[in-house]
Amino acid sequence: MRIPLDYQSSVPIYRQIETYLREGILSGRLTPDTRLPASRKLAQDLAISRITVENAYAELKADGLITAVSGSGTYVLPICSTSEPDLEDSRTSWPLWQQSLPSKGGIENRLSSSSQKTNLISFANGNGDPHLFPISDFRHSLQTVIRRDGITALEYGDTQGFIRLRKTITSILASQGLLTGPGQILITSGSQQALGLVCQLLLKSGDVILVENPTYGGALNLFRTMGLSIIGIPMDEDGMLIEKLEELLQQFHPKLIYTMPNFQNPTGICMDSWRRRQLLSLADRYNVPLLEDDFVGDLRYDGRTQPALKSLDPGGRVIYTSTFSKMLLPGLRVGFLVAEGPVYEKLVNQKKIHDLATSNLMQRALEDYISIGRYQSHLRRSCLVYRKRRDVMLQAVKSHLPAATVNSPQGGLFIWLRLPNSVTAEELLALAWTKGVSFTPGNMFFPNQADGQYYLRLNFASHSEEVIEEGIKRLGEAMNK
Ligand code: PMP
């Protein structure tokens, strides 16, 4: 045990040892049943006399914090307290440089703690239903990989990503009409990392980025943290308004356009194919790269499929990103991007600087798990379940929230509601919370947060039909309060 001692201090050494251990025990860092070093050993390590250590231990024993078990050793005792020790509270004060860091605060904190309320039905999250994931098959894949690849699976892998996984992704993308090659794919730690890598490579503080208005809150957080100037492109039910886009391109000379053409987060809107082509041609004319976030592109329940922007790209205009978080599990932290030309090499380099590589073990397990056939059958099953849930939620909203206006998305995970002007989403969230239901208020998704005050996003995919009915009923009660 390396106890920091100040041999010049006027505080006796035995007292310093006692104080250090006492703080450790009371803060919970030294947990009950931890075996303390034998006094002879600790004295040796610290180059002090054994009696000094024994004096410190005697004080702690007298206060009931440790006990000596004969023939075994000295152990930390459980603290007689009803509450969990709070690790942060035991710190007296943070250094000034820490105090000057901007605090997170706000909506995000409240949402993340919201899931802890018991019996809460949360429509706030951004993922599919984890219960649809075949956990036992995945366990089997993990075991197979460890047996098959041994220690190789636990070493750093290629920065670009595990080649066999990149080949599988190539076939999945080809089945969706996007022809690419493993040499154009970079595996990332979730598509969130892909967004970060692209922005860090292509933009600097003060640069303008164009986004759909509203857009994904996690992207907005990234752009704000980077000090980008975020300009929203107005939308209608077919996606961004192309004439407005052209005006903004002329006015602001953006460095990047970020878009989710399929079942956009948060609105669920799918861009029509004419606009896709127009968007591509404008980006080309104004020489602006496009970042296409296709987070739920294959979760389509009705309507005609639309080509990915990347599949219309004659080469090098679009950087495409997608993820296994929505279709499979977010905790795998495996996403990918597709790019070609000099930017691909630079993105690989950027990735190397950030985390060397995405977890080799997870990539191999995922590769073992997802053959193209398995992926497609999982997709079919998920689509059937989610389509039903979407319809149940829309019906429930019509019955319990008749004053709200709601869209009917053709795919994805979310429905988007406009409240009547009598109540803001923030006010409704406070009431909903008391009824045991939550959602994501619209201001999270707008560059100018006030624009979202009457909107809210509901995830229809992550709960069973019964839970959806109950949750929307509670929301209706909150609305009528
Ligand atoms: N893009 C969109 C639109 C998202 O909603 C999310 C997650 N909610 C991400 C990207 C990032 O997902 P992940 O990092 O898990 O792939």
Side-chain angles (χ1 to χ4, degrees):
M1 191 178 254
R2 288 183 287 172
I3 299 179
L5 295 179
D6 181 354
Y7 297 93
Q8 263 75 54
S9 164
S10 58
V11 179
I13 296 291
Y14 88 92
R15 193 54 94 194
Q16 291 186 43
I17 298 173
E18 181 214 327
T19 308
Y20 180 86
L21 293 175
R22 183 185 295 279
E23 271 180 22
I25 295 167
L26 294 178
S27 69
R29 289 181 181 86
L30 281 171
T31 51
D33 289 338
T34 303
R35 189 169 183 267
L36 295 181
S39 52
R40 188 173 345 99
K41 175 79 175 65
L42 188 56
Q44 222 172 42
D45 289 350
L46 299 173
I48 54 177
S49 80
R50 190 171 166 191
I51 196 81
T52 309
V53 177
E54 280 170 356
N55 282 342
Y57 281 9
E59 296 285 328
L60 296 167
K61 265 182 222 152
D63 290 344
L65 295 175
I66 63 173
T67 186
V69 178
S70 70
S72 173
T74 304
Y75 292 87
V76 173
L77 285 171
I79 318 160
C80 302
S81 154
T82 48
S83 61
E84 284 283 304
D86 184 339
L87 297 187
E88 300 311 317
D89 280 351
S90 66
R91 300 278 166 96
T92 43
S93 71
W94 296 111
L96 282 178
W97 67 266
Q98 290 234 35
Q99 290 175 32
S100 63
L101 293 174
S103 68
K104 265 203 293 161
I107 291 166
E108 270 185 298
N109 279 348
R110 204 175 61 227
L111 285 177
S112 54
S113 62
S114 72
S115 56
Q116 276 139 37
K117 185 175 156 95
T118 49
N119 197 22
L120 177 86
I121 299 175
S122 172
F123 295 124
N125 80 57
N127 298 312
D129 185 349
H131 298 108
L132 296 185
F133 186 69
I135 184 79
S136 58
D137 289 347
F138 191 70
R139 187 187 312 120
H140 187 252
S141 288
L142 266 173
Q143 286 163 348
T144 305
V145 164
I146 291 178
R147 207 178 316 115
R148 185 192 67 198
D149 302 344
I151 199 69
T152 316
L154 296 162
E155 286 173 349
Y156 290 137
D158 276 354
T159 302
Q160 281 172 279
F162 183 43
I163 179 67
R164 282 165 49 177
L165 180 61
R166 286 188 279 136
K167 284 185 178 155
T168 306
I169 291 172
T170 305
S171 339
I172 292 175
L173 292 177
S175 75
Q176 296 166 5
L178 203 177
L179 301 178
T180 183
Q184 296 172 357
I185 293 175
L186 170 62
I187 306 286
T188 54
S189 303
S191 51
Q192 187 72 25
Q193 184 183 48
L195 305 185
L197 295 177
V198 171
C199 290
Q200 282 147 12
L201 184 71
L202 299 179
L203 297 108
K204 59 181 182 333
S205 177
D207 282 346
V208 174
I209 183 165
L210 295 187
V211 302
E212 283 137 352
N213 198 30
T215 190
Y216 165 46
L220 282 177
N221 286 342
L222 168 73
F223 305 153
R224 287 193 183 109
T225 309
M226 287 186 63
L228 305 181
S229 168
I230 309 164
I231 307 287
I233 313 162
M235 301 168 75
D236 66 12
E237 64 281 3
D238 291 320
M240 62 171 76
L241 299 174
I242 294 297
E243 327 76 71
K244 296 280 181 217
L245 169 66
E246 179 148 28
E247 283 169 30
L248 295 173
L249 284 165
Q250 287 167 354
Q251 194 181 345
F252 292 104
H253 310 290
K255 291 281 167 44
L256 185 70
I257 303 172
Y258 168 65
T259 175
M260 288 163 277
N262 290 318
F263 321 121
Q264 205 246 6
N265 183 0
T267 60
I269 287 172
C270 189
M271 196 187 295
D272 75 17
S273 73
W274 180 83
R275 292 193 197 188
R276 287 175 195 239
R277 288 181 163 79
Q278 292 300 307
L279 168 59
L280 207 60
S281 106
L282 281 179
D284 201 24
R285 189 166 342 136
Y286 289 87
N287 192 29
V288 186
L290 274 168
L291 175 53
E292 175 178 24
D293 183 350
D294 197 18
F295 72 119
V296 285
D298 42 3
L299 285 177
R300 174 176 282 280
Y301 317 130
D302 22 59
R304 189 195 292 166
T305 57
Q306 299 288 353
L309 292 175
K310 184 76 195 147
S311 70
L312 303 171
D313 178 3
R317 273 96 170 142
V318 180
I319 301 171
Y320 173 96
T321 179
S322 188
T323 178
F324 290 101
S325 292
K326 311 294 162 178
M327 271 299 303
L328 300 175
L329 271 190
L332 298 177
R333 304 311 301 132
V334 181
F336 58 93
L337 61 78
V338 183
E340 67 271 327
V343 78
Y344 177 78
E345 293 305 322
K346 291 202 182 303
L347 285 165
V348 175
N349 215 17
Q350 189 81 7
K351 159 95 182 158
K352 194 177 218 158
I353 293 164
H354 277 270
D355 67 355
L356 304 180
T358 294
S359 161
N360 196 359
L361 177 64
M362 276 306 148
Q363 290 186 65
R364 284 167 189 258
L366 189 57
E367 189 277 330
D368 183 79
Y369 171 74
I370 49 157
S371 59
I372 171 88
R374 220 178 204 176
Y375 185 81
Q376 284 176 332
S377 65
H378 182 71
L379 178 67
R380 270 195 300 277
R381 189 161 148 254
S382 304
C383 282
L384 281 177
V385 174
Y386 295 162
R387 174 195 283 132
K388 196 87 206 308
R389 291 181 182 178
R390 175 202 59 184
D391 294 343
V392 167
M393 185 175 272
L394 284 172
Q395 194 49 50
V397 166
K398 277 193 192 118
S399 316
H400 298 288
L401 295 149
T405 321
V406 64
N407 68 343
S408 176
Q410 296 186 325
L413 305 170
F414 311 117
I415 63 171
W416 182 238
L417 255 82
R418 168 72 164 84
L419 295 171
N421 286 351
S422 51
V423 59
T424 67
E426 284 281 319
E427 287 160 354
L428 182 61
L429 184 59
L431 296 169
W433 175 251
T434 64
K435 295 280 175 190
V437 61
S438 76
F439 55 81
T440 314
N443 51 14
M444 297 264 297
F445 305 103
F446 286 83
N448 174 19
Q449 299 195 342
D451 292 346
Q453 62 176 329
Y454 294 112
Y455 290 93
L456 61 98
R457 189 194 74 180
L458 296 172
N459 178 322
F460 57 78
S462 59
H463 292 295
S464 69
E465 292 163 33
E466 298 71 47
V467 174
I468 291 174
E469 302 255 17
E470 172 60 24
I472 301 298
K473 187 167 129 261
R474 291 184 193 179
L475 199 54
E477 287 164 8
M479 187 84 171
N480 293 329
K481 240 180 152 186

